[in-house]
Amino acid sequence: MSTNMVMTGNRSLGAVDPSEADRFSSRLTMSPRKWELYRDEPCFKVACCRLLAEVGPAVVDSLQRYAILAVKPEGWIDGVFPRVAAFLPRHGFEIVGMFRSRLTPIMIREIWRYQWNIAPVERIELSELLLSLGPLYGFLLRDTAPVDGTPASVRLARLKGPAMPARQRPGQLRRELGAPCRLVTYVHIPDEPADIIRDLSVMLDRAEMVRLLARTLDGPPAPLRIDPARLSDVARVDDSLPAGGPVGAPGDSLWRRALLMKAAFAAHLPADHLPADHGDGGGAVRLPRDLWTAMLDLCADVSELPTPGEKRVEPLADIRPEPPDELRPEPLAGSRPETGAASPRQDGGES
């Protein structure tokens, strides 16, 4: 067990006053608005207290040098991991840790709570279906080319690119992955250290979250080599399967097509509509190619639905213009910058 797993000195491992996390807010997010939302969430509140009590305040600084990237189920279906693995070292990131999470609908809604407040119901239905197709594999990334004052997570979030293909630029990750629409984006990247804590506190057991983030204090870890062929539990297209069930006609309403799509997918999922939680490939989802193609077509159509209103928390990659360099975390002794509270232009993209 790492000596960084518990605090040293005379401090006990008893509960930490949740307000203590406020001292570190400007190192965890550049947005006071985001902090006010997150600090009152039970899951985030407990996660912060556990980290501070069991790892110590030094984890706030160590998180500046690490990021998280998760490949979502549709990313494994479309085989994007080799392109992810090639992109990361070109931009100064290396994989040093790995975790697995099976997302339930409640977990999915919690992670995207502050983005889906303006999402059409058809997008929510299809997003939940996509994210329930298999395990999500996440990777702890070390920043090997840090930029002074910019957390590694912020640097990677800006490299990710917007969810909307029309706004993606050459060299951005989603452009290189060929993400076809805002529903099918293949990867999830928490924007800031606060988002890392929040998302991992939903995806993982708290003890596992603490163990993973405590590794950021252990010195430069050895890079991991990931062989996607060994991940037998992820969803795949199986060309030997017969055609999928009826998924509606182009003239049908998007709502009807979404419900028919869910019914067609149910034939390839266990009875509870969630893949069995086996790490050895048991219960892994296998889909007919025509059904997966129809799903991508429907996602593209649903992506065109308008998204009026303002997301409660806007992903960095979807903010126009891109945040200037001066929007960086203040030092611990400073106050939180007010610029993060500005309301950016919205495009309804996913985080």
Side-chain angles (χ1 to χ4, degrees):
M1 178 174 176
S2 166
T3 56
N4 289 320
M5 284 298 299
V6 295
M7 291 184 62
T8 57
N10 296 325
R11 183 164 184 173
S12 100
L13 289 178
V16 173
D17 184 340
S19 64
E20 184 174 342
D22 287 338
R23 294 197 298 118
F24 306 102
S25 63
S26 64
R27 295 283 286 163
L28 296 174
T29 176
M30 66 180 78
S31 170
R33 179 185 184 185
K34 178 188 290 188
W35 183 255
E36 291 303 318
L37 291 169
Y38 286 9
R39 71 186 299 276
D40 292 332
E41 291 184 351
C43 195
F44 181 77
K45 184 185 301 185
V46 174
C48 280
C49 289
R50 287 283 297 266
L51 276 175
L52 291 174
E54 298 180 33
V55 183
V59 73
V60 176
D61 286 329
S62 67
L63 278 176
Q64 309 299 311
R65 303 185 295 274
Y66 288 82
I68 293 288
L69 180 147
V71 178
K72 298 190 291 183
E74 77 265 19
W76 298 109
I77 293 174
D78 280 349
V80 304
F81 182 77
R83 280 170 278 166
V84 172
F87 179 91
L88 292 173
R90 290 204 312 268
H91 294 276
F93 290 94
E94 62 181 12
I95 298 174
V96 295
M98 178 176 172
F99 63 88
R100 176 183 183 274
S101 179
R102 279 289 301 108
L103 299 182
T104 67
I106 291 176
M107 295 162 69
I108 292 165
R109 294 168 204 146
E110 186 64 19
I111 291 171
W112 284 279
R113 166 196 293 264
Y114 299 118
Q115 290 77 43
W116 286 5
N117 62 295
I118 64 169
V121 292
E122 295 90 344
R123 275 177 57 193
I124 295 173
E125 286 276 9
L126 290 180
S127 294
E128 289 179 358
L129 177 57
L130 284 170
L131 288 160
S132 71
L133 291 179
L136 170 152
Y137 277 93
F139 304 96
L140 178 66
L141 309 177
R142 186 173 73 91
D143 191 345
T144 62
V147 176
D148 287 344
T150 300
S153 53
V154 172
R155 192 167 80 80
L156 184 61
R158 291 174 178 170
L159 288 168
K160 174 179 61 176
M164 295 182 68
R167 291 191 52 221
Q168 294 164 7
R169 301 193 305 270
Q172 292 180 328
L173 176 58
R174 282 173 170 161
R175 176 76 168 266
E176 294 199 8
L177 298 183
C181 64
R182 67 174 72 166
L183 264 76
V184 182
T185 60
Y186 297 139
V187 295
H188 173 62
I189 296 173
D191 281 350
E192 300 182 274
D195 299 291
I196 290 176
I197 296 170
R198 181 180 184 273
D199 289 2
L200 292 183
S201 73
V202 176
M203 294 178 183
L204 303 176
D205 173 85
R206 286 181 187 135
E208 186 179 357
M209 177 207 71
V210 169
R211 285 195 296 270
L212 181 68
L213 296 185
R215 294 183 58 190
T216 65
L217 285 168
D218 287 340
L224 290 183
R225 294 181 61 87
I226 308 297
D227 180 2
R230 297 176 63 88
L231 304 180
S232 59
D233 57 343
V234 299
R236 313 269 190 200
V237 165
D238 185 342
D239 288 317
S240 70
L241 292 176
V247 293
D252 290 340
S253 71
L254 292 177
W255 177 246
R256 172 174 167 75
R257 290 170 62 193
L259 295 183
L260 287 171
M261 186 66 70
K262 290 188 71 173
F265 268 75
H268 302 278
L269 302 178
D272 62 357
H273 288 205
L274 288 172
D277 192 10
H278 299 301
D280 59 358
V285 172
R286 297 295 180 259
L287 300 170
R289 184 167 298 279
D290 74 308
L291 185 59
W292 181 242
T293 299
M295 177 63 152
L296 293 178
D297 291 342
L298 178 56
C299 287
D301 290 343
V302 169
S303 290
E304 298 303 315
L305 290 173
T307 53
E310 179 180 334
K311 282 181 246 168
R312 300 186 73 191
V313 174
E314 178 76 1
L316 286 180
D318 290 323
I319 293 176
R320 300 184 189 176
E322 186 172 273
D325 290 341
E326 60 264 30
L327 291 187
R328 295 173 177 169
E330 298 284 341
L332 285 176
S335 59
R336 297 199 301 271
E338 294 303 319
T339 45
S343 174
R345 179 175 176 180
Q346 311 291 320
D347 70 3
E350 298 297 318
S351 90

